[in-house]
Amino acid sequence: YLVVWAIGLGIRRVALAEAARVEALHREQRLAIAADLHDGVARELAALTLAGDAMASEPTPDTVAELVEGLRQANASLRAVTTVLRGTGALGLKALSAEEALAKGIKEVRSRHGVVEVSAETIAACAQLPPAVDIAAGRILAEALHNASKYADLTFPCVVVAERSATTLDLIVSNTIHQRARATQGGMGLMTMKMHADAVGGAIDSREQSGIWVCSVSLPLRDSGTGS
């Protein structure tokens, strides 16, 4: 009897451990989908709102084209998400490189009549990064600059600084916070930025400092392939 009881107990423990492993895997998958929804669909819809506002105040062929392209991208992202939720494919949302995300973020801030101060050295530091770091830095820059376009007091410039050594890429994005936005920054955006930094062994700190929102990121390059 004791042998049977011990075997049964062992089987139950194995079953519980497997159930916990599967639940953790499902939790990670749900979090990854939520992050991609935020980084892809939500940001594209926010950009559509900005493009719509611009078209309403200044309808030009460029603003119309931008709105149409935004609609196309949001529609493609929603189709990709639907495919994943049906269990018939991978999400595969387009990942911007750090260089592309920087250029797109600058354009987004400028669409709100803001200014991004960025040096040629910073742009060069964001070019030709190791692939995994390039994607992580791109996602983080895109989110930080998107937040600046939404929450910053754009009468002051947003500042982006990047420094790169043989082993590390350091990024800082800072902006003055608009008074009405002081209670709204944070949430899913900060969580996804941390996820992207963690994925490559990096670290991120994003917080208000005397009315200035400062996002500081450090991403290791030494174990990420070539490109230093």
Side-chain angles (χ1 to χ4, degrees):
Y1 175 78
L2 288 176
V3 172
V4 173
W5 177 82
I7 292 173
L9 182 61
I11 291 173
R12 284 194 296 273
R13 285 177 175 172
V14 170
L16 288 172
E18 178 62 15
R21 186 191 69 81
V22 171
E23 174 58 26
L25 178 61
H26 287 171
R27 187 165 52 249
E28 289 177 6
Q29 290 173 337
R30 290 194 298 268
L31 188 57
I33 290 173
D36 279 329
L37 276 169
H38 176 273
D39 288 354
V41 179
R43 193 178 297 141
E44 286 163 4
L45 291 175
L48 277 175
T49 301
L50 296 179
D53 289 343
M55 189 175 70
S57 60
E58 189 180 351
T60 67
D62 286 344
T63 56
V64 172
E66 184 177 350
L67 185 61
V68 171
E69 176 61 17
L71 285 168
R72 187 193 66 76
Q73 291 179 1
N75 187 46
S77 296
L78 285 171
R79 286 200 307 270
V81 170
T82 301
T83 298
V84 169
L85 295 178
R86 287 175 176 169
T88 56
L91 194 50
L93 297 177
K94 183 181 184 299
L96 296 177
S97 68
E99 197 172 11
E100 290 170 331
L102 181 58
K104 186 174 182 179
I106 290 172
K107 182 178 179 182
E108 188 172 2
V109 172
R110 285 176 177 170
S111 74
R112 300 292 300 272
H113 309 293
V115 173
V116 178
E117 291 185 353
V118 56
S119 68
E121 290 79 11
T122 287
I123 294 171
C126 292
Q128 297 181 329
L129 291 165
V133 175
D134 206 16
I135 291 172
R139 290 277 186 110
I140 292 168
L141 280 169
E143 178 63 20
L145 289 169
H146 175 69
N147 284 344
S149 74
K150 290 172 62 178
Y151 302 122
D153 181 346
L154 295 178
T155 59
F156 299 92
C158 173
V159 179
V160 181
V161 177
E163 293 185 354
R164 181 173 171 178
S165 69
T167 59
T168 308
L169 173 70
D170 294 312
L171 296 167
I172 295 178
V173 181
S174 64
N175 60 267
T176 302
I177 304 172
H178 199 287
Q179 186 65 37
R180 69 173 183 274
R182 289 183 182 274
T184 59
Q185 278 195 300
M188 188 67 187
L190 296 185
M191 187 180 74
T192 59
M193 287 197 291
K194 185 178 185 305
M195 283 177 57
H196 299 314
D198 288 346
V200 293
I204 184 169
D205 182 77
S206 191
R207 68 180 71 186
E208 180 182 356
Q209 299 179 21
S210 302
I212 306 293
W213 195 271
V214 181
C215 177
S216 304
V217 187
S218 183
L219 304 177
L221 301 175
R222 60 184 178 278
D223 296 323
S224 305
T226 59
S228 59

